Amino acid sequence: MSYVGPDFDPPQPRRSRRGPLTVALAALVPGALLGWLVYEAVGGPGDSGGSGRAGAASSSASVSRPLSAAPSTAVPGSPTDDGKADPAPTATTPSASAPAASGPLKGKVVVIDPGHNPGNFQHTAEINRLVDIGTNSKECDTTGTSTNSGYTEARFTLDVAHRLRTLLEQQGATVKLTRDGDAPPWGPCVNERARIGNNAHADAAISIHADGAAQGDRGFHVILPASVHAGAADTRPIVASSKSLGERIAGNFVRVTGEPPSNYIGDGTGLVTRKDLGGLNLSTVPKVFIECGNMRDSKDAALLTSGTWRQEAAQGISEGIVSFLSGS
């Protein structure tokens, strides 16, 4: 995303946050014993993640121990399809209006927020207008980032969202997207993205993104809402539940995809807490963001442009949401 998500500024060089980051690759553990990885991340109103890609690397969220990545036995090799495996975005892609199947998520509502919009490039005036996010004002939306070969974040996020919707509907959930196909032609604004989840009374909401950091910066991270009480924002009722949701998504994501936790933010935990994102600040339902990888890093780009890996990404996110909603 433009760092990070609909709330983030357009791509720009990121200050590298090197130092002794602890990303430990764990030995392969039998799947029946692995489960989701439990770890703690502590962050509060004092975190200063910054409003742009460069600023986010200075997040002061503290953590208790690193998240270990399982060996990537199922991740595709170096050949990629450069994003060609994703279906053309259309309004006819399986929708949330389809009857929910019977399953562990029957009666549950999940809102998926595919970051950015491919039409944002043609609507700069609209997306640059400021909206209130409680703590301050930010642009309505941003264009997002892309791989060096031109595969856009907006295209990536919608493809993963479609795959995730299918998986969750198979588990019985009712799923709503904040954007789909060509509608709307730009945006929605970050405050509207939060409002869609709130109005749906979602049991869980997730915003899907991909980062645009420097070459060599790679890995995923999940962004949790800080405790915010300012203006229209009051995340205090959802901080704990959102943290649980984020931990379960991160644990399952690393297990299913083999993608390591970020080596440039989060101190190896795969978790970051921020208070400057309207999509989180204005949410009244449990919600997190996920940066699935860095589109500007050649190794991550090879995964993000693979349809096979995007299916694994959707599977990892789905299993985290199922774990959260079913209490398993």
Side-chain angles (χ1 to χ4, degrees):
M1 53 167 86
S2 58
Y3 193 80
V4 163
D7 294 308
F8 312 118
D9 300 330
Q12 53 184 296
R14 180 193 289 277
R15 294 193 300 273
S16 177
R17 173 176 168 138
R18 303 297 179 182
L21 299 181
T22 55
V23 181
L25 295 179
L28 184 62
V29 179
L33 298 179
L34 187 56
W36 60 276
L37 307 178
V38 180
Y39 49 91
E40 294 292 325
V42 179
D47 86 308
S48 54
S51 60
R53 279 181 198 277
S58 64
S59 171
S60 62
S62 60
V63 295
S64 59
R65 60 172 177 162
L67 174 67
S68 299
S72 177
T73 57
V75 176
S78 57
T80 73
D81 60 25
D82 197 29
K84 294 183 178 63
D86 60 319
T90 67
T92 59
T93 306
S95 70
S97 61
S102 176
L105 300 190
K106 187 171 180 60
K108 301 293 186 181
V109 176
V110 179
V111 169
I112 305 173
D113 176 31
H116 311 290
N117 189 313
N120 284 356
F121 288 96
Q122 286 77 45
H123 294 272
T124 55
E126 290 89 343
I127 69 170
N128 284 335
R129 71 180 180 86
L130 299 180
V131 297
D132 184 6
I133 66 166
T135 53
N136 59 290
S137 296
K138 296 192 74 170
E139 291 81 4
C140 157
D141 200 2
T142 57
T143 59
T145 188
S146 68
T147 65
N148 293 332
S149 62
Y151 180 60
T152 65
E153 180 184 2
R155 184 177 170 187
F156 167 82
T157 62
L158 187 59
D159 179 63
V160 174
H162 284 163
R163 297 170 187 268
L164 177 59
R165 174 170 63 186
T166 298
L167 292 170
L168 292 173
E169 287 181 340
Q170 290 172 349
Q171 296 294 314
T174 296
V175 182
K176 300 178 183 296
L177 270 61
T178 60
R179 70 173 180 90
D180 196 8
D182 297 326
W186 56 270
C189 294
V190 295
N191 56 342
E192 177 61 19
R193 290 173 185 264
R195 188 177 301 117
I196 291 170
N198 298 343
N199 290 346
H201 303 288
D203 296 286
I206 183 163
S207 189
I208 300 172
H209 292 276
D211 208 352
Q215 169 67 30
D217 290 345
R218 64 169 309 214
F220 80 94
H221 61 277
V222 176
I223 306 173
L224 314 175
S227 180
V228 172
H229 186 210
D234 186 1
T235 63
R236 294 174 298 176
I238 65 162
V239 166
S241 55
S242 296
K243 180 181 178 183
S244 177
L245 172 64
E247 288 175 341
R248 291 170 187 252
I249 288 174
N252 282 278
F253 192 84
V254 71
R255 176 178 59 80
V256 174
T257 67
E259 175 76 345
S262 171
N263 65 4
Y264 59 94
I265 188 171
D267 294 331
T269 67
L271 296 174
V272 177
T273 301
R274 294 183 63 176
K275 64 177 181 180
D276 63 328
L277 307 180
L280 294 181
N281 285 3
L282 300 175
S283 181
T284 60
V285 300
K287 184 176 182 180
V288 298
F289 281 40
I290 184 168
E291 292 278 6
C292 295
N294 176 20
M295 300 195 96
R296 297 291 180 163
D297 175 77
S298 58
K299 291 181 179 179
D300 272 4
L303 300 178
L304 297 167
T305 55
S306 163
T308 300
W309 188 86
R310 291 196 300 275
Q311 184 64 32
E312 293 175 351
Q315 184 69 41
I317 296 170
S318 173
E319 292 186 16
I321 293 173
V322 171
S323 173
F324 171 74
L325 293 180
S326 65
S328 60

